[in-house]
Amino acid sequence: MPLSENRYETAVARYFEAWNATGSAEELAKAVEAAWSEGGGYTDPLSDVTGHEAIAAVIGGTHAQFPGYVFRLEGAVDGHHDVARFRWELVSVADGSAPVAGSDVVTLAGDGRIATVAGFLDRVPPTA
């Protein structure tokens, strides 16, 4: 997803770049740092973490649980003030199935990076 001039879309694009970083630990760390502000946080029904290292660990754990899957934006990013919301799916590269889907609400820091994420899981497989 290319970065947009819209700050909400730019922040969400960086968010997806971090979630889809599957290279080295260093690449993931750089993507998380680009997406989240210093001391940024991530909360969903399964995780509640603060800081780049902890966020990278959650992302790495998700990739370990769902190898061969990527996160994809579903629909448009909606934002006002310093808050944006969007829907996403976790999609299999092999067959296009999307066993996990959710909605996230992010608060942006002054530098345009994400300060907080409140994630909601809308569809989860029974074995997750």
Side-chain angles (χ1 to χ4, degrees), residues 2 18 20 24 27 31 52 59 81 85 97 112 125:
N20 288 325
S24 69
E27 289 174 288
H52 294 161
I59 292 171
H81 294 85
R85 66 179 176 168
S97 64

Side-chain angles (χ1 to χ4, degrees), residues 6-8 12 53 62 67 98 100 103:
N6 179 301
R7 70 188 192 116
Y8 308 113
V12 172
E53 194 172 301
T62 300
V100 183
S103 305

Side-chain angles (χ1 to χ4, degrees), residues 66-108:
F66 293 96
Y69 284 78
V70 295
F71 285 88
R72 176 178 67 194
L73 179 66
E74 185 180 77
V77 177
D78 183 27
H80 64 81
H81 294 85
D82 290 328
V83 179
R85 66 179 176 168
F86 56 93
R87 296 181 47 77
W88 54 266
E89 290 184 314
L90 183 60
V91 180
S92 168
V93 174
D95 66 13
S97 64
V100 183
S103 305
D104 289 355
V105 176
V106 300
T107 302
L108 302 182

